[in-house]
Amino acid sequence: MALVMHSLTFKKNAYKALIVAEYNGLNIEFAPNFEMGVSDKTPQFINMNPIGKSPVLETPDGPVFESNAIARYVARSNSKADNALYGSSLIEYAQIEQWIDFTTLEIDANLLTWFRPTVGRAPYYGPVEEAAISGLKRGLGALNTHLASNTYMVGHSVTLADIITTCNLVYGFTKLMTKAFTSEFPHVERYFWTMVNLPNFRKIFGEVNQTHSLPPVQSLAPTNKEV
């Protein structure tokens, strides 16, 4: 059985495993005719992920959900001794996991909180947006400090930490963070543009362009006023 991804083809959480697969020489197919709100509501899909969220990866050993777990599975599917995606020592392995957790919780989570009201997936509350942007800047500041003296997240070559970090940054750069915003974090900028232009990343992302403006808010918070 091939590895089959149940997801939209352009979803950044699916990109994680796809880039890993490029490095590991593996092939991931997409389930045909996947449709959000339809395919992920079927009994077959719910059996693979009980809360009905994509992506889900079908494997010969059973389904895997949650995008970081999927990427980890694909990374470990290469049993070659020279598989560098998990580093070359126990401390590098731990640091890779450290940065995966950090960028997921401090970067991706705050970007999603900021982004959702712009596409109508959450109500807009000014204080919530301010807190998300503040948390994002704190995370980017820490990342910028780390990258001031490191080309990659861990070690001297691309690891799973770089793949997940870049995927966690891509919606920020393309949807929310203008040049005026990211210029405060020049090492993050250098790192991001280096990563997205590496051949295995570019094959999945295509051409990446930074947003020039913030998207308008689509979902305003309800008021308590009676009409």
Side-chain angles (χ1 to χ4, degrees):
M1 174 185 173
L3 299 176
V4 179
M5 183 77 75
H6 294 259
S7 171
L8 297 174
T9 59
F10 54 84
K11 197 169 186 179
K12 66 97 174 171
N13 280 338
Y15 291 164
K16 299 173 183 178
L18 296 177
I19 296 170
V20 173
E22 290 298 322
Y23 276 95
N24 276 355
L26 300 173
N27 181 53
I28 296 177
E29 301 174 359
F30 277 92
N33 304 315
F34 184 89
E35 185 178 351
M36 289 288 291
V38 177
S39 304
D40 49 5
K41 304 301 181 186
T42 64
Q44 294 84 356
F45 191 92
I46 299 301
N47 282 337
M48 294 189 293
N49 184 348
I51 61 172
K53 291 175 64 177
S54 65
V56 170
L57 185 71
E58 269 192 283
T59 83
D61 305 308
V64 182
F65 61 86
E66 294 296 339
S67 61
N68 288 349
I70 293 170
R72 289 180 173 108
Y73 176 89
V74 178
R76 290 173 175 148
S77 295
N78 182 351
S79 59
K80 295 179 181 178
D82 62 350
N83 181 3
L85 292 181
Y86 261 110
S88 58
S89 65
L90 181 60
I91 188 61
E92 286 192 354
Y93 171 87
Q95 290 170 342
I96 288 165
E97 292 291 339
Q98 160 193 286
W99 286 114
I100 289 172
D101 287 349
F102 177 87
T103 59
T104 298
L105 296 172
E106 304 295 337
I107 305 295
D108 191 46
N110 284 310
L111 281 170
L112 285 173
T113 300
W114 185 10
F115 181 67
R116 283 182 177 132
T118 70
V119 290
R121 292 175 57 194
Y124 173 81
Y125 294 96
V128 173
E129 180 185 73
E130 290 173 9
I133 294 173
S134 176
L136 174 63
K137 286 186 173 182
R138 181 182 64 180
L140 290 172
L143 193 59
N144 194 66
T145 298
H146 175 69
L147 292 170
S149 56
N150 293 277
T151 301
Y152 302 98
M153 295 302 298
V154 179
H156 302 289
S157 63
V158 170
T159 67
L160 187 60
D162 296 295
I163 294 170
I164 291 179
T165 294
T166 304
C167 288
N168 285 338
L169 287 169
V170 71
Y171 267 22
F173 271 84
T174 60
K175 303 293 185 183
L176 293 168
M177 301 190 301
T178 63
K179 175 65 176 176
F181 186 99
T182 60
S183 61
E184 185 179 339
F185 313 101
H187 304 297
V188 175
E189 286 185 322
R190 181 267 307 160
Y191 170 83
F192 178 76
W193 294 115
T194 297
M195 291 296 110
V196 297
N197 284 295
L198 293 175
N200 286 336
F201 286 75
R202 192 174 179 86
K203 182 174 180 179
I204 302 304
F205 288 142
E207 184 177 357
V208 177
N209 296 301
Q210 188 164 11
T211 184
H212 295 294
S213 61
L214 290 173
V217 171
Q218 299 294 322
S219 183
L220 296 175
T223 67
N224 293 323
K225 295 181 179 178
E226 294 183 359
V227 178

Short mmCIF file of all heavy atoms in Angstrom, two decimals, residues 56-112:
data_model
loop_
_atom_site.label_atom_id
_atom_site.label_comp_id
_atom_site.label_asym_id
_atom_site.label_seq_id
_atom_site.Cartn_x
_atom_site.Cartn_y
_atom_site.Cartn_z
N VAL A 56 -4.68 13.49 7.19
CA VAL A 56 -4.50 12.14 7.71
C VAL A 56 -3.67 11.39 6.68
O VAL A 56 -3.90 11.52 5.47
CB VAL A 56 -5.84 11.42 7.94
CG1 VAL A 56 -5.62 9.94 8.24
CG2 VAL A 56 -6.62 12.07 9.08
N LEU A 57 -2.71 10.62 7.16
CA LEU A 57 -1.89 9.81 6.26
C LEU A 57 -2.25 8.34 6.45
O LEU A 57 -2.17 7.80 7.56
CB LEU A 57 -0.40 10.00 6.56
CG LEU A 57 0.56 9.29 5.60
CD1 LEU A 57 0.55 9.96 4.23
CD2 LEU A 57 1.97 9.25 6.17
N GLU A 58 -2.67 7.70 5.37
CA GLU A 58 -2.88 6.25 5.37
C GLU A 58 -1.55 5.56 5.09
O GLU A 58 -0.87 5.89 4.11
CB GLU A 58 -3.88 5.84 4.29
CG GLU A 58 -5.31 5.79 4.72
CD GLU A 58 -6.17 5.10 3.68
OE1 GLU A 58 -6.49 5.75 2.67
OE2 GLU A 58 -6.54 3.92 3.88
N THR A 59 -1.17 4.62 5.93
CA THR A 59 0.08 3.90 5.77
C THR A 59 -0.21 2.40 5.78
O THR A 59 -1.30 1.97 6.19
CB THR A 59 1.06 4.23 6.92
OG1 THR A 59 0.74 3.41 8.06
CG2 THR A 59 0.98 5.70 7.33
N PRO A 60 0.77 1.58 5.39
CA PRO A 60 0.57 0.13 5.46
C PRO A 60 0.32 -0.38 6.87
O PRO A 60 -0.23 -1.46 7.06
CB PRO A 60 1.89 -0.43 4.90
CG PRO A 60 2.44 0.67 4.06
CD PRO A 60 2.04 1.93 4.74
N ASP A 61 0.71 0.42 7.86
CA ASP A 61 0.56 0.01 9.26
C ASP A 61 -0.66 0.61 9.94
O ASP A 61 -0.93 0.31 11.11
CB ASP A 61 1.81 0.41 10.05
CG ASP A 61 3.08 -0.14 9.41
OD1 ASP A 61 3.13 -1.35 9.17
OD2 ASP A 61 4.01 0.66 9.15
N GLY A 62 -1.38 1.48 9.24
CA GLY A 62 -2.54 2.14 9.83
C GLY A 62 -2.47 3.64 9.61
O GLY A 62 -1.45 4.17 9.15
N PRO A 63 -3.54 4.36 9.95
CA PRO A 63 -3.57 5.80 9.73
C PRO A 63 -2.82 6.58 10.80
O PRO A 63 -2.67 6.13 11.94
CB PRO A 63 -5.07 6.13 9.78
CG PRO A 63 -5.64 5.09 10.70
CD PRO A 63 -4.84 3.85 10.46
N VAL A 64 -2.31 7.74 10.40
CA VAL A 64 -1.66 8.67 11.32
C VAL A 64 -2.28 10.05 11.11
O VAL A 64 -2.39 10.51 9.97
CB VAL A 64 -0.14 8.75 11.08
CG1 VAL A 64 0.51 9.69 12.09
CG2 VAL A 64 0.50 7.37 11.14
N PHE A 65 -2.69 10.70 12.19
CA PHE A 65 -3.16 12.08 12.07
C PHE A 65 -2.31 13.01 12.93
O PHE A 65 -1.48 12.55 13.70
CB PHE A 65 -4.66 12.20 12.40
CG PHE A 65 -5.05 11.80 13.80
CD1 PHE A 65 -4.98 12.70 14.85
CD2 PHE A 65 -5.52 10.52 14.06
CE1 PHE A 65 -5.36 12.35 16.14
CE2 PHE A 65 -5.91 10.15 15.35
CZ PHE A 65 -5.83 11.07 16.38
N GLU A 66 -2.52 14.31 12.78
CA GLU A 66 -1.71 15.41 13.30
C GLU A 66 -0.46 15.56 12.44
O GLU A 66 0.33 14.63 12.29
CB GLU A 66 -1.34 15.23 14.78
CG GLU A 66 -2.53 15.29 15.72
CD GLU A 66 -3.23 16.65 15.75
OE1 GLU A 66 -2.60 17.66 15.35
OE2 GLU A 66 -4.39 16.69 16.18
N SER A 67 -0.32 16.76 11.87
CA SER A 67 0.68 16.97 10.82
C SER A 67 2.11 16.73 11.29
O SER A 67 2.94 16.22 10.53
CB SER A 67 0.55 18.38 10.24
OG SER A 67 0.76 19.37 11.25
N ASN A 68 2.44 17.10 12.53
CA ASN A 68 3.81 16.86 13.01
C ASN A 68 4.07 15.37 13.17
O ASN A 68 5.17 14.88 12.87
CB ASN A 68 4.05 17.58 14.33
CG ASN A 68 4.14 19.09 14.17
OD1 ASN A 68 4.23 19.60 13.05
ND2 ASN A 68 4.12 19.81 15.27
N ALA A 69 3.07 14.63 13.65
CA ALA A 69 3.22 13.19 13.78
C ALA A 69 3.38 12.53 12.42
O ALA A 69 4.17 11.60 12.24
CB ALA A 69 2.02 12.60 14.52
N ILE A 70 2.62 13.02 11.43
CA ILE A 70 2.74 12.49 10.06
C ILE A 70 4.15 12.73 9.53
O ILE A 70 4.78 11.84 8.95
CB ILE A 70 1.69 13.13 9.15
CG1 ILE A 70 0.27 12.70 9.57
CG2 ILE A 70 1.94 12.78 7.69
CD1 ILE A 70 -0.84 13.46 8.88
N ALA A 71 4.65 13.95 9.72
CA ALA A 71 6.01 14.27 9.25
C ALA A 71 7.05 13.40 9.94
O ALA A 71 8.01 12.94 9.32
CB ALA A 71 6.31 15.75 9.48
N ARG A 72 6.85 13.16 11.23
CA ARG A 72 7.79 12.29 11.96
C ARG A 72 7.75 10.87 11.40
O ARG A 72 8.79 10.22 11.26
CB ARG A 72 7.43 12.28 13.45
CG ARG A 72 7.74 13.58 14.20
CD ARG A 72 7.34 13.44 15.66
NE ARG A 72 7.77 14.60 16.44
CZ ARG A 72 6.93 15.53 16.90
NH1 ARG A 72 5.64 15.46 16.64
NH2 ARG A 72 7.41 16.55 17.61
N TYR A 73 6.56 10.38 11.11
CA TYR A 73 6.44 9.02 10.56
C TYR A 73 7.18 8.92 9.23
O TYR A 73 7.94 7.97 9.00
CB TYR A 73 4.96 8.68 10.36
CG TYR A 73 4.75 7.33 9.69
CD1 TYR A 73 4.65 6.17 10.44
CD2 TYR A 73 4.68 7.22 8.30
CE1 TYR A 73 4.48 4.93 9.84
CE2 TYR A 73 4.52 5.99 7.69
CZ TYR A 73 4.42 4.85 8.46
OH TYR A 73 4.26 3.64 7.85
N VAL A 74 6.98 9.90 8.37
CA VAL A 74 7.63 9.87 7.06
C VAL A 74 9.13 10.00 7.21
O VAL A 74 9.91 9.33 6.51
CB VAL A 74 7.05 10.96 6.13
CG1 VAL A 74 7.76 10.95 4.78
CG2 VAL A 74 5.55 10.77 5.94
N ALA A 75 9.58 10.84 8.15
CA ALA A 75 11.02 11.00 8.38
C ALA A 75 11.65 9.69 8.83
O ALA A 75 12.76 9.34 8.42
CB ALA A 75 11.27 12.09 9.41
N ARG A 76 10.94 8.95 9.66
CA ARG A 76 11.49 7.70 10.20
C ARG A 76 11.28 6.53 9.24
O ARG A 76 11.78 5.43 9.50
CB ARG A 76 10.85 7.39 11.54
CG ARG A 76 11.30 8.36 12.64
CD ARG A 76 10.53 8.14 13.92
NE ARG A 76 11.06 9.00 14.99
CZ ARG A 76 10.32 9.50 15.97
NH1 ARG A 76 9.02 9.24 16.02
NH2 ARG A 76 10.85 10.26 16.89
N SER A 77 10.56 6.75 8.17
CA SER A 77 10.35 5.68 7.20
C SER A 77 11.60 5.37 6.40
O SER A 77 11.68 4.35 5.72
CB SER A 77 9.20 6.06 6.24
OG SER A 77 7.98 6.15 6.93
N ASN A 78 12.57 6.28 6.47
CA ASN A 78 13.88 6.04 5.85
C ASN A 78 14.80 5.45 6.90
O ASN A 78 15.22 6.14 7.84
CB ASN A 78 14.45 7.34 5.31
CG ASN A 78 15.78 7.14 4.60
OD1 ASN A 78 16.37 6.07 4.65
ND2 ASN A 78 16.25 8.18 3.94
N SER A 79 15.11 4.18 6.79
CA SER A 79 15.92 3.50 7.80
C SER A 79 17.42 3.56 7.49
O SER A 79 18.22 2.94 8.18
CB SER A 79 15.50 2.03 7.90
OG SER A 79 15.65 1.38 6.66
N LYS A 80 17.78 4.32 6.47
CA LYS A 80 19.19 4.40 6.11
C LYS A 80 20.00 5.05 7.22
O LYS A 80 19.53 5.96 7.90
CB LYS A 80 19.37 5.20 4.81
CG LYS A 80 18.74 4.53 3.59
CD LYS A 80 18.94 5.40 2.36
CE LYS A 80 18.30 4.77 1.12
NZ LYS A 80 18.44 5.62 -0.08
N ALA A 81 21.23 4.60 7.38
CA ALA A 81 22.09 5.13 8.44
C ALA A 81 22.42 6.60 8.24
O ALA A 81 22.72 7.31 9.18
CB ALA A 81 23.37 4.31 8.53
N ASP A 82 22.37 7.04 6.97
CA ASP A 82 22.74 8.43 6.70
C ASP A 82 21.53 9.36 6.68
O ASP A 82 21.59 10.49 6.18
CB ASP A 82 23.49 8.54 5.37
CG ASP A 82 22.63 8.09 4.17
OD1 ASP A 82 21.54 7.53 4.40
OD2 ASP A 82 23.06 8.32 3.02
N ASN A 83 20.40 8.93 7.23
CA ASN A 83 19.21 9.78 7.31
C ASN A 83 19.48 10.91 8.30
O ASN A 83 19.52 10.70 9.51
CB ASN A 83 18.01 8.95 7.75
CG ASN A 83 16.72 9.78 7.84
OD1 ASN A 83 16.72 10.97 7.51
ND2 ASN A 83 15.65 9.15 8.27
N ALA A 84 19.69 12.12 7.77
CA ALA A 84 20.11 13.24 8.62
C ALA A 84 18.94 14.04 9.18
O ALA A 84 19.15 14.98 9.94
CB ALA A 84 21.02 14.18 7.82
N LEU A 85 17.72 13.69 8.82
CA LEU A 85 16.58 14.52 9.23
C LEU A 85 16.37 14.52 10.73
O LEU A 85 15.72 15.42 11.28
CB LEU A 85 15.31 14.06 8.52
CG LEU A 85 15.26 14.30 7.01
CD1 LEU A 85 13.93 13.82 6.44
CD2 LEU A 85 15.49 15.77 6.67
N TYR A 86 16.88 13.52 11.43
CA TYR A 86 16.77 13.47 12.88
C TYR A 86 18.11 13.70 13.58
O TYR A 86 18.28 13.37 14.75
CB TYR A 86 16.15 12.15 13.34
CG TYR A 86 14.67 12.30 13.65
CD1 TYR A 86 13.71 11.73 12.83
CD2 TYR A 86 14.25 13.04 14.74
CE1 TYR A 86 12.36 11.88 13.11
CE2 TYR A 86 12.90 13.20 15.03
CZ TYR A 86 11.97 12.61 14.22
OH TYR A 86 10.62 12.78 14.49
N GLY A 87 19.08 14.26 12.86
CA GLY A 87 20.35 14.59 13.48
C GLY A 87 21.28 13.39 13.58
O GLY A 87 20.95 12.28 13.14
N SER A 88 22.43 13.62 14.18
CA SER A 88 23.46 12.57 14.26
C SER A 88 23.79 12.18 15.69
O SER A 88 24.75 11.45 15.92
CB SER A 88 24.73 13.05 13.55
OG SER A 88 25.21 14.26 14.15
N SER A 89 23.02 12.68 16.67
CA SER A 89 23.30 12.34 18.06
C SER A 89 22.02 12.51 18.87
O SER A 89 21.03 13.09 18.41
CB SER A 89 24.39 13.25 18.64
OG SER A 89 23.93 14.59 18.68
N LEU A 90 22.06 12.01 20.10
CA LEU A 90 20.90 12.12 20.96
C LEU A 90 20.55 13.57 21.25
O LEU A 90 19.38 13.96 21.26
CB LEU A 90 21.16 11.37 22.28
CG LEU A 90 20.01 11.37 23.30
CD1 LEU A 90 18.76 10.74 22.71
CD2 LEU A 90 20.44 10.65 24.56
N ILE A 91 21.56 14.43 21.46
CA ILE A 91 21.28 15.83 21.76
C ILE A 91 20.68 16.53 20.55
O ILE A 91 19.77 17.35 20.68
CB ILE A 91 22.54 16.57 22.28
CG1 ILE A 91 22.18 17.98 22.77
CG2 ILE A 91 23.63 16.62 21.21
CD1 ILE A 91 21.19 18.02 23.90
N GLU A 92 21.16 16.19 19.34
CA GLU A 92 20.56 16.80 18.15
C GLU A 92 19.11 16.34 17.98
O GLU A 92 18.25 17.13 17.61
CB GLU A 92 21.38 16.47 16.90
CG GLU A 92 22.69 17.25 16.82
CD GLU A 92 23.37 17.14 15.46
OE1 GLU A 92 22.88 16.36 14.62
OE2 GLU A 92 24.38 17.83 15.26
N TYR A 93 18.85 15.07 18.25
CA TYR A 93 17.48 14.57 18.20
C TYR A 93 16.59 15.37 19.15
O TYR A 93 15.49 15.80 18.78
CB TYR A 93 17.45 13.09 18.58
CG TYR A 93 16.08 12.51 18.77
CD1 TYR A 93 15.36 12.00 17.69
CD2 TYR A 93 15.47 12.48 20.02
CE1 TYR A 93 14.08 11.49 17.86
CE2 TYR A 93 14.20 11.97 20.20
CZ TYR A 93 13.51 11.47 19.12
OH TYR A 93 12.25 10.97 19.30
N ALA A 94 17.07 15.59 20.39
CA ALA A 94 16.29 16.34 21.37
C ALA A 94 16.09 17.78 20.94
O ALA A 94 15.00 18.36 21.10
CB ALA A 94 16.97 16.28 22.74
N GLN A 95 17.12 18.40 20.36
CA GLN A 95 17.00 19.79 19.92
C GLN A 95 16.06 19.92 18.74
O GLN A 95 15.32 20.91 18.63
CB GLN A 95 18.39 20.33 19.59
CG GLN A 95 19.27 20.54 20.81
CD GLN A 95 20.71 20.84 20.47
OE1 GLN A 95 21.18 20.60 19.36
NE2 GLN A 95 21.45 21.37 21.45
N ILE A 96 16.05 18.94 17.85
CA ILE A 96 15.10 18.95 16.74
C ILE A 96 13.68 18.92 17.28
O ILE A 96 12.82 19.72 16.87
CB ILE A 96 15.37 17.75 15.79
CG1 ILE A 96 16.66 18.00 15.01
CG2 ILE A 96 14.20 17.53 14.83
CD1 ILE A 96 17.21 16.77 14.33
N GLU A 97 13.42 18.03 18.23
CA GLU A 97 12.09 17.95 18.84
C GLU A 97 11.75 19.25 19.58
O GLU A 97 10.61 19.72 19.57
CB GLU A 97 12.01 16.76 19.78
CG GLU A 97 12.07 15.41 19.09
CD GLU A 97 10.82 15.12 18.26
OE1 GLU A 97 9.77 15.75 18.51
OE2 GLU A 97 10.89 14.28 17.35
N GLN A 98 12.74 19.82 20.23
CA GLN A 98 12.56 21.08 20.95
C GLN A 98 12.06 22.18 20.02
O GLN A 98 11.09 22.88 20.32
CB GLN A 98 13.90 21.47 21.57
CG GLN A 98 14.08 22.93 21.96
CD GLN A 98 15.52 23.24 22.25
OE1 GLN A 98 16.03 22.84 23.30
NE2 GLN A 98 16.21 23.92 21.35
N TRP A 99 12.72 22.34 18.87
CA TRP A 99 12.35 23.41 17.96
C TRP A 99 11.03 23.12 17.24
O TRP A 99 10.29 24.05 16.90
CB TRP A 99 13.47 23.69 16.96
CG TRP A 99 14.62 24.41 17.59
CD1 TRP A 99 15.89 23.94 17.79
CD2 TRP A 99 14.62 25.74 18.13
NE1 TRP A 99 16.66 24.89 18.42
CE2 TRP A 99 15.91 26.00 18.63
CE3 TRP A 99 13.64 26.73 18.23
CZ2 TRP A 99 16.24 27.22 19.23
CZ3 TRP A 99 13.97 27.95 18.82
CH2 TRP A 99 15.26 28.18 19.31
N ILE A 100 10.72 21.86 17.01
CA ILE A 100 9.41 21.53 16.46
C ILE A 100 8.32 22.00 17.42
O ILE A 100 7.34 22.65 17.02
CB ILE A 100 9.30 20.01 16.20
CG1 ILE A 100 10.17 19.61 15.01
CG2 ILE A 100 7.83 19.62 15.93
CD1 ILE A 100 10.26 18.11 14.80
N ASP A 101 8.47 21.67 18.71
CA ASP A 101 7.49 22.10 19.70
C ASP A 101 7.44 23.62 19.80
O ASP A 101 6.36 24.22 19.87
CB ASP A 101 7.83 21.50 21.07
CG ASP A 101 7.54 20.02 21.15
OD1 ASP A 101 6.89 19.48 20.23
OD2 ASP A 101 7.97 19.38 22.14
N PHE A 102 8.61 24.24 19.83
CA PHE A 102 8.67 25.70 19.99
C PHE A 102 7.95 26.41 18.85
O PHE A 102 7.10 27.29 19.09
CB PHE A 102 10.13 26.17 20.06
CG PHE A 102 10.27 27.66 20.17
CD1 PHE A 102 10.25 28.28 21.41
CD2 PHE A 102 10.41 28.45 19.03
CE1 PHE A 102 10.35 29.66 21.51
CE2 PHE A 102 10.52 29.83 19.12
CZ PHE A 102 10.49 30.44 20.37
N THR A 103 8.28 26.09 17.61
CA THR A 103 7.68 26.82 16.50
C THR A 103 6.20 26.49 16.32
O THR A 103 5.44 27.31 15.82
CB THR A 103 8.44 26.57 15.18
OG1 THR A 103 8.44 25.17 14.87
CG2 THR A 103 9.87 27.06 15.28
N THR A 104 5.79 25.30 16.76
CA THR A 104 4.37 24.96 16.70
C THR A 104 3.58 25.77 17.73
O THR A 104 2.51 26.31 17.41
CB THR A 104 4.17 23.46 16.95
OG1 THR A 104 4.84 22.72 15.91
CG2 THR A 104 2.69 23.09 16.95
N LEU A 105 4.11 25.87 18.94
CA LEU A 105 3.37 26.53 20.02
C LEU A 105 3.55 28.05 20.03
O LEU A 105 2.60 28.78 20.36
CB LEU A 105 3.83 25.96 21.37
CG LEU A 105 3.52 24.47 21.59
CD1 LEU A 105 4.20 23.98 22.86
CD2 LEU A 105 2.02 24.24 21.66
N GLU A 106 4.72 28.53 19.67
CA GLU A 106 5.00 29.97 19.78
C GLU A 106 4.84 30.72 18.46
O GLU A 106 4.57 31.93 18.48
CB GLU A 106 6.43 30.18 20.31
CG GLU A 106 6.73 29.51 21.64
CD GLU A 106 5.90 30.06 22.79
OE1 GLU A 106 5.43 31.21 22.69
OE2 GLU A 106 5.73 29.33 23.79
N ILE A 107 5.00 30.05 17.35
CA ILE A 107 4.87 30.69 16.04
C ILE A 107 3.54 30.32 15.39
O ILE A 107 2.69 31.18 15.15
CB ILE A 107 6.04 30.30 15.10
CG1 ILE A 107 7.40 30.60 15.75
CG2 ILE A 107 5.89 31.02 13.76
CD1 ILE A 107 7.70 32.05 16.00
N ASP A 108 3.34 29.05 15.13
CA ASP A 108 2.16 28.61 14.39
C ASP A 108 0.87 28.93 15.13
O ASP A 108 -0.10 29.42 14.53
CB ASP A 108 2.25 27.11 14.12
CG ASP A 108 1.20 26.63 13.13
OD1 ASP A 108 1.02 27.30 12.09
OD2 ASP A 108 0.58 25.59 13.38
N ALA A 109 0.81 28.66 16.42
CA ALA A 109 -0.43 28.89 17.17
C ALA A 109 -0.82 30.36 17.16
O ALA A 109 -2.01 30.70 16.99
CB ALA A 109 -0.26 28.40 18.61
N ASN A 110 0.15 31.26 17.31
CA ASN A 110 -0.17 32.69 17.30
C ASN A 110 -0.54 33.18 15.90
O ASN A 110 -1.43 34.03 15.75
CB ASN A 110 1.02 33.48 17.85
CG ASN A 110 1.12 33.39 19.36
OD1 ASN A 110 0.14 33.60 20.07
ND2 ASN A 110 2.30 33.06 19.86
N LEU A 111 0.13 32.64 14.88
CA LEU A 111 -0.26 33.00 13.51
C LEU A 111 -1.68 32.56 13.21
O LEU A 111 -2.46 33.31 12.58
CB LEU A 111 0.71 32.35 12.51
CG LEU A 111 2.05 33.03 12.31
CD1 LEU A 111 2.99 32.15 11.50
CD2 LEU A 111 1.88 34.39 11.63
N LEU A 112 -2.07 31.38 13.64
CA LEU A 112 -3.43 30.89 13.40
C LEU A 112 -4.46 31.75 14.11
O LEU A 112 -5.53 32.05 13.55
CB LEU A 112 -3.55 29.43 13.84
CG LEU A 112 -2.89 28.40 12.93
CD1 LEU A 112 -2.95 27.02 13.56
CD2 LEU A 112 -3.56 28.38 11.56
#
